């Protein structure tokens, strides 16, 4: 019984880490721009594909010289950087022109939805419908803790999520840039008057959000090594819902929401038939939103982030 | 100048119509995108090869007249509702005389209903769910059935693994996977008593994380795990089960048999067994000839879907030939094909000899293959219906 519970906690922590890492991207962009970046799930998908190409290249070039973990250590920053470029490109091409023209937020959200579909179908057209298999970079070691199994990969995913949370918390609360982000979130129109470069702050937000989507993509591809163009759609939606339940705009909220969703989902799937998984998971979240419409950590209409 | 162009166009138009009069149109309702794109690709490649053969020889000989073949490939995106739309499109817009496909039962069951209602012959190459052809006189198939496959799997596992208990994980939204899982459970519990299937877990088509279900399975300590799932999910399930500490064997069904299984699954799948329609490694005669030609042309060993599509399409062509003449009215031609098809008693396919029962289901043998460390599907044993 106890070992079953321990296994459940480990499974949920790993699955929740992916939700949390993606939810952070929604929350950051929403916090600064009040924009729901619906393309974010697909940026995660692009991140996984970038990780695939980066890793394949590194393995082909360096497999003789470097160990698996060294390759991972090289692939992670490269993937994060390239995925961040994709996020920033989207901002440049799709969102900034609309912002400059003073378009209503609704149109920007619709543009984001379109961008997501473009990424999915662009991938389908460019790379074809066949799935890609992510190369195995490190040997999986199965560890046994009190009867529950955990792999080195799962541990890495969980630690990465915790690390990202601490890092972001530090950025937002302790650095000048974080202060600028909070300022933009507070009043977008007054901020440029104070000499804060608005666009730089926004670009930086996209770099952070997309970078961590890239990290999530890489870790996801290592854990579930089969890539397909639509892999980001469903998990993106769910991470968005997790962010809303946690209180969108709040980094703690994104993480708590992500883990909460994973605990409910995996819990439901382990007791009930899996067809009830999403039904129950989202019904529970709905109940939470009834009681607290702004999400667990959300505060209505004040500074977000 | 304009007049000349106009006349030329008119001539071309008539010429095209004249050619069209001598062609036979067959539709293919296959998954070129979606969950199992490799299945659609294999079907298309096999059909293309057959078409080139026949058109290269001047066309199909029906009652002394040669007809060129025109194959129309439509993508059903591996979705049930798209399969119905594709079937309607092929029947109404393209006016095909018969349809080959869909492959997976998830699409073949609904599309079979559509074809039956519209009185168009349909032959599914790969669908093993009984409902596809049940009480549908216009629907046929080239594969064996799950009520036959289920016992094959159970008997083999009992004998080879010496297993007493089994666990099952299946896709609840896939007719094929769900049907086969239930049949297996029935057969196994019939043999070993109630409760000998120690875990019976399901998942959704889009799921990527199976840790909850697999934890339950691993905790129940089964002697083997039966996975009647599509090859793309098999790769994820086996990997995750190993990560949860499961060390025992797996047993699969014919949906494993894709050329892409080993690319996706890698070493995790080596050494496992699954039941399927034919074994490519060690094939002889016409089957070997097909495999060699396909591999030379497309660069990989054809899987069972390719071989079954070849058989299914040849079945349609044979029915057209046996009908004796091609009717100019599509409806009459469809009826003639159905009549001829229902009369075929015995058919020598490259996936084995088949005879048909009154439901349009072939009676044929299944094989169990073992995945070698090199990733080849090696013949282990053949099981024929009594």
């Amino acid at each position: 019984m106890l070992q079953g519970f321990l296994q459940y906690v480990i499974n949920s922590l790993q699955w929740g880490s992916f939700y949390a890492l993606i939810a952070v991207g929604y929350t950051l962009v929403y916090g600064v721009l009040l924009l729901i970046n619906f393309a974010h799930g697909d940026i995660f998908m692009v991140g996984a594909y970038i990780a695939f190409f980066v890793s394949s290249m590194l393995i082909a070039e360096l497999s003789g010289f470097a160990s698996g973990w060294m390759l991972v250590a090289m692939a992670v920053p490269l993937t994060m950087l390239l995925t961040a470029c994709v996020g920033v490109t989207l901002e440049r091409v799709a969102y900034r022109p609309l912002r400059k023209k003073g378009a209503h937020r609704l149109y920007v959200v619709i543009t984001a939805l379109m961008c997501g579909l473009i990424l999915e179908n662009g991938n389908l057209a460019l790379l074809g419908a066949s799935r890609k298999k992510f190369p195995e970079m490190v040997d999986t070691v199965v560890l046994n803790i009190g009867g529950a199994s955990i792999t080195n990969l799962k541990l890495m995913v969980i630690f990465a999520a915790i690390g990202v949370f601490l890092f972001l918390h530090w950025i937002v609360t302790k650095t000048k840039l974080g202060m600028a982000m909070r300022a933009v979130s507070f009043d977008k129109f007054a901020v440029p008057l104070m000499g804060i470069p608005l666009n730089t702050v926004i670009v930086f937000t996209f770099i952070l959000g997309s970078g961590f989507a890239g990290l999530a993509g890489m870790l996801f591809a290592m854990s579930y090594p089969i890539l397909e163009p639509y892999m980001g759609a469903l998990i993106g939606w769910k991470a968005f819902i997790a962010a809303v339940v946690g209180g969108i705009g709040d980094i703690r909220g994104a993480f708590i929401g992500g883990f909460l969703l994973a605990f409910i989902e995996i819990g439901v799937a382990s007791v009930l038939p899996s067809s009830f998984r999403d039904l129950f998971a989202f019904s529970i979240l709905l109940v939470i939103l009834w009681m607290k419409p702004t999400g667990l950590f959300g505060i209505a209409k004040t500074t977000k982030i | 100048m304009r007049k000349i162009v106009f006349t030329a166009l008119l001539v071309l138009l008539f010429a095209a119509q004249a050619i069209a009069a001598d062609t036979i149109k067959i539709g293919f309702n296959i998954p070129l995108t979606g969950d199992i794109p490799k299945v659609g690709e294999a079907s298309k490649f096999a059909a293309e090869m057959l078409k080139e053969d026949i058109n290269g020889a001047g066309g199909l000989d029906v009652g002394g007249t040669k007809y060129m073949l025109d194959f129309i490939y439509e993508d059903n995106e591996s979705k049930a509702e798209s399969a119905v739309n594709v079937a309607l499109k092929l029947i109404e817009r393209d006016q095909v005389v018969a349809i080959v496909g869909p492959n997976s039962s998830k699409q073949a069951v609904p599309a079979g209903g559509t074809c039956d209602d519209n009185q168009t012959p349909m032959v599914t190459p790969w669908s093993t769910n009984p409902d596809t052809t049940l009480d549908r006189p216009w629907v046929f198939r080239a594969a064996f059935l799950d009520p036959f496959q289920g016992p094959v799997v159970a008997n083999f596992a009992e004998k080879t693994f010496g297993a007493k208990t089994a666990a099952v994980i299946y896709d609840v939204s896939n007719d094929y996977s769900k049907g086969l899982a239930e049949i297996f459970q029935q057969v196994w519990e019939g043999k070993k008593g109630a409760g000998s299937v120690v875990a019976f877990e399901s998942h959704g088509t889009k799921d990527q994380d199976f840790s909850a279900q697999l934890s339950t399975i691993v905790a129940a300590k089964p002697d083997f795990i039966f996975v009647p799932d599509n090859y793309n999910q098999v790769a994820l399930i086996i990997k995750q089960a190993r990560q949860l500490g499961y060390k025992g064997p797996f047993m699969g069904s014919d949906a494993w048999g894709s050329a892409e299984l080993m690319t996706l699954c890698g070493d995790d799948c080596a050494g496992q067994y699954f039941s399927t329609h034919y074994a490519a490694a060690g094939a002889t005669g016409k089957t070997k000839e097909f495999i060699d030609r396909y591999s030379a042309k497309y660069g990989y060993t054809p899987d069972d879907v390719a071989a079954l599509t070849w058989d299914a399409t040849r079945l349609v062509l044979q029915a057209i030939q046996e009908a004796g003449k091609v009717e100019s009215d599509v409806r009459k031609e469809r009826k003639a094909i159905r009549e001829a098809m229902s009369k075929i008693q015995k058919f020598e396919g490259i996936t084995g000899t088949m005879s048909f029962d009154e439901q349009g289901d072939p009676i044929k043998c299944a094989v169990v293959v073992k995945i070698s460390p090199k990733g080849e599907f090696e013949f282990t044993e053949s099981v024929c219906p009594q």
Side-chain angles (χ1 to χ4, degrees):
Chain A
M1 193 61 217
L2 184 71
Q3 91 187 45
F5 184 72
L6 196 62
Q7 188 70 59
Y8 158 65
V9 171
I10 293 168
N11 293 342
S12 309
L13 278 177
Q14 187 212 16
W15 191 233
S17 298
F18 294 118
Y19 283 147
L21 284 173
I22 302 168
V24 144
Y26 282 106
T27 250
L28 281 173
V29 171
Y30 185 84
V32 169
L33 279 179
L34 294 182
L35 158 70
I36 299 163
N37 181 15
F38 276 127
H40 193 67
D42 296 301
I43 293 179
F44 157 78
M45 176 273 293
V46 171
Y49 271 83
I50 289 175
F52 168 77
F53 288 115
V54 165
S55 310
S56 307
M57 187 199 74
L58 284 176
I59 288 176
E61 298 289 327
L62 297 171
S63 63
F65 313 102
S67 70
W69 286 108
M70 275 168 73
L71 290 178
V72 173
M74 280 186 272
V76 165
L78 211 53
T79 305
M80 288 176 71
L81 193 74
L82 289 171
T83 317
C85 291
V86 175
V88 171
T89 311
L90 271 192
E91 199 271 330
R92 268 290 159 86
V93 175
Y95 309 146
R96 191 181 293 185
L98 280 160
R99 201 164 62 236
K100 266 192 186 154
K101 294 207 172 95
H104 190 273
R105 260 172 32 218
L106 176 67
Y107 302 107
V108 190
V109 170
I110 292 168
T111 310
L113 274 172
M114 270 187 302
C115 289
L117 290 172
I118 289 171
L119 288 179
E120 279 175 16
N121 292 296
N123 183 335
L124 189 67
L126 281 177
L127 300 172
S130 250
R131 276 119 214 276
K132 298 256 177 293
K133 152 96 175 159
F134 195 79
E136 269 174 44
M137 306 175 86
V138 289
D139 293 327
T140 325
V141 183
V142 183
L143 309 165
N144 201 316
I145 310 171
S149 301
I150 184 164
T151 60
N152 47 359
L153 212 65
K154 274 189 185 176
L155 274 176
M156 185 175 87
V157 172
I158 296 167
F159 283 131
I162 297 170
V164 167
F165 173 72
L166 295 175
F167 174 74
L168 276 179
H169 199 73
W170 172 75
I171 288 250
V172 171
T173 53
K174 295 281 174 353
T175 62
K176 256 188 184 162
L177 231 141
M179 199 192 276
M181 282 165 78
R182 282 182 289 153
V184 173
S185 155
F186 193 71
D187 192 338
K188 212 163 37 175
F189 300 100
V191 151
L193 305 175
M194 307 289 162
I196 298 170
L198 180 66
N199 282 333
T200 315
V201 177
I202 291 172
V203 164
F204 189 72
T205 313
F206 272 88
I207 290 179
L208 276 181
S210 312
F212 290 127
L215 175 67
M218 166 106 196
L219 295 174
F220 193 86
M222 287 176 78
S223 312
Y224 308 100
I226 291 175
L227 310 182
E228 51 132 349
Y230 297 103
M231 62 187 276
L234 190 63
I235 195 169
W237 279 108
K238 287 185 175 176
F240 165 65
I241 293 166
V244 171
V245 169
I248 192 160
D250 187 285
I251 291 171
R252 273 172 311 168
F255 274 83
I256 300 290
F259 284 112
L260 184 70
L261 177 56
F263 269 89
I264 300 175
E265 257 192 40
I266 304 251
V268 171
S270 26
V271 250
L272 292 171
S274 72
S275 33
F276 290 100
R277 181 175 179 149
D278 290 355
L279 177 71
F280 271 68
F282 293 110
S283 304
I284 293 172
L285 298 187
L286 189 65
V287 172
I288 295 179
L289 285 185
W290 276 345
M291 293 186 288
K292 206 163 182 317
T294 50
L296 294 174
F297 286 90
I299 308 153
K301 283 273 177 188
T302 48
T303 327
K304 291 278 189 180
I305 261 192
Chain B
M1 186 60 204
R2 195 178 281 174
K3 228 172 205 172
I4 299 172
V5 173
F6 188 66
T7 328
L9 270 179
L10 263 185
V11 169
L12 268 179
L13 205 68
F14 277 113
Q17 256 177 353
I19 294 168
D22 280 345
T23 57
I24 296 172
K25 274 201 255 181
I26 297 174
F28 284 78
N29 188 346
I30 50 179
L32 292 166
T33 60
D35 293 329
I36 44 173
K38 199 75 177 175
V39 165
E41 184 192 276
S43 268
K44 186 177 172 182
F45 282 174
E48 279 291 291
M49 214 163 93
L50 184 61
K51 190 179 87 177
E52 278 167 27
D53 276 7
I54 289 173
N55 284 354
L60 186 74
D61 189 353
V62 187
T65 323
K66 295 250 184 186
Y67 293 90
M68 295 301 264
L69 294 180
D70 185 9
F71 287 176
I72 300 160
Y73 305 101
E74 283 285 342
D75 178 20
N76 63 31
E77 302 168 310
S78 319
K79 289 183 195 153
E81 63 277 14
S82 305
V84 171
N85 289 338
V86 164
L88 285 173
K89 220 194 243 173
L90 288 168
I91 293 167
E92 276 158 18
R93 187 196 62 189
D94 298 315
Q95 299 281 314
V96 298
V97 296
I99 292 175
V100 175
N103 280 312
S104 185
S105 298
K106 185 177 167 187
Q107 292 101 42
V109 174
T114 309
C115 289
D116 196 53
D117 292 344
N118 288 285
Q119 306 207 320
T120 306
M122 170 183 133
V123 187
T124 167
W126 202 44
S127 165
T128 49
N129 191 305
D131 290 345
T132 309
T133 52
L134 190 66
D135 296 329
R136 288 171 178 171
W138 292 80
V139 184
F140 303 84
R141 74 170 96 218
F144 52 65
L145 291 187
D146 288 335
F148 169 61
Q149 180 171 208
V152 167
V153 170
N155 292 338
F156 182 85
E158 183 187 27
K159 197 174 65 187
T160 313
F161 309 139
K164 291 192 178 56
T165 55
V168 182
I169 179 163
Y170 67 96
D171 183 345
V172 71
S173 47
N174 183 338
D175 288 342
Y176 160 78
S177 189
K178 187 166 180 279
L180 188 51
E182 281 161 2
I183 289 164
F184 173 82
Q185 187 187 28
Q186 228 171 31
V187 173
W188 192 263
E189 295 201 330
K191 273 171 177 303
K192 302 282 178 189
S196 54
V197 173
V198 288
F200 194 72
E201 295 287 320
S202 64
H203 65 82
T205 302
K206 290 276 166 205
D207 285 358
Q208 283 145 319
D209 181 84
F210 308 100
S211 56
Q213 295 93 324
L214 288 169
S215 296
T216 315
I217 288 178
V218 173
K221 295 196 172 58
D223 290 337
F224 76 102
I225 304 178
F226 179 49
V227 191
D229 245 320
N230 280 333
Y231 61 90
N232 56 325
Q233 283 151 340
V234 168
L236 287 173
I237 289 172
I238 293 194
K239 193 178 173 64
Q240 288 175 39
R242 292 282 185 244
Q243 289 183 354
L244 287 166
Y246 177 71
K247 294 193 178 64
F250 293 90
M251 179 88 207
S253 59
D254 63 309
W256 283 39
S258 165
E260 218 171 43
L261 177 75
M262 291 314 286
T263 335
L264 297 180
C265 191
D267 292 343
D268 288 328
C269 279
Q272 310 306 330
Y273 297 90
F274 64 92
S275 62
T276 185
H277 306 273
Y278 92 130
T284 53
K286 271 208 266 172
T287 317
K288 184 168 168 25
E289 198 184 302
F290 167 78
I291 293 168
D292 290 346
R293 279 180 57 204
Y294 189 103
S295 327
K297 201 165 156 88
Y298 302 114
Y300 64 90
T301 312
D303 46 29
D304 55 349
V305 183
L308 288 168
T309 306
W310 176 277
D311 279 354
T313 317
R314 273 194 51 225
L315 209 59
V316 175
L317 298 181
Q318 189 175 326
I320 293 173
Q321 282 177 316
E322 282 176 9
K325 68 180 178 97
V326 175
E327 307 271 356
S328 52
D329 181 19
V330 176
R331 285 174 162 279
K332 277 190 192 153
E333 173 62 13
R334 286 173 184 162
K335 199 161 185 317
I337 292 176
R338 195 209 84 80
E339 294 298 328
M341 191 109 71
S342 63
K343 286 199 190 85
I344 294 177
Q345 288 295 323
K346 211 166 184 200
F347 176 80
E348 292 279 341
I350 53 173
T351 57
T353 308
M354 32 189 139
S355 48
F356 292 86
D357 65 10
E358 65 279 7
Q359 288 293 350
D361 296 329
I363 300 158
K364 63 194 284 193
C365 306
V367 295
V368 176
V369 300
K370 181 181 187 175
I371 306 173
S372 76
K374 273 197 305 193
E376 279 177 344
F377 298 158
E378 281 173 354
F379 177 84
T380 309
E381 73 169 28
S382 172
V383 184
C384 294
Q386 258 85 60

